[in-house]
Amino acid sequence: KLHAMGLLGSRRSLALCERLSAAAFCRRRLPCLLLKLRMAQNLRDAVTFVEQGHVRVGPDVVTDPALLVTRAMEDFITWTDASRLRRKVLDYNQERDDFDLDA
């Protein structure tokens, strides 16, 4: 279960649980993963993005920065559809479709 959460690197030994630290839990929080995915430049901005409702995990908009994200859900971290940040990123990458975003 700890491996599925992303807290342990391998499933080989239960002895690895003894060395599990609080920092491992902190690294699985949503703002830290936003930094890892390069969706934010620093931790303060990442927390602000989450609190303002710019980030979703799967179909759910998340406003709690203390959310622990599992390995399975890590791939589903995206911007919300109505987010201005998403619009800016798409404009910068020249991938914005006016028909989809104006709704």
Side-chain angles (χ1 to χ4, degrees):
K1 193 167 192 174
L2 293 174
H3 176 70
M5 278 293 298
L7 299 173
L8 295 179
S10 66
R11 297 183 185 189
R12 280 189 255 151
S13 173
L14 196 57
L16 295 173
C17 295
E18 291 179 356
R19 294 184 291 168
L20 191 61
S21 65
F25 285 95
C26 292
R27 284 190 298 266
R28 296 304 303 177
R29 292 177 64 184
L30 184 57
C32 293
L33 290 176
L34 289 177
L35 285 177
K36 182 180 166 188
L37 296 171
R38 296 181 181 225
M39 292 174 73
Q41 290 183 353
N42 55 36
L43 195 59
R44 179 179 291 164
D45 290 341
V47 170
T48 304
F49 295 159
V50 173
E51 287 175 345
Q52 291 178 353
H54 290 289
V55 179
R56 70 177 183 189
V57 178
D60 302 323
V61 176
V62 178
T63 57
D64 182 20
L67 177 74
L68 290 176
V69 181
T70 62
R71 286 182 195 257
M73 291 304 292
E74 187 174 350
D75 295 333
F76 300 106
I77 298 173
T78 59
W79 299 113
T80 58
D81 292 333
S83 174
R84 298 195 79 167
L85 294 170
R86 178 179 183 217
R87 187 175 296 161
K88 291 287 185 185
V89 169
L90 291 175
D91 281 341
Y92 180 78
N93 293 333
Q94 298 177 349
E95 297 173 353
R96 182 173 161 205
D97 186 11
D98 294 331
F99 180 74
D100 291 336
L101 291 177
D102 287 337

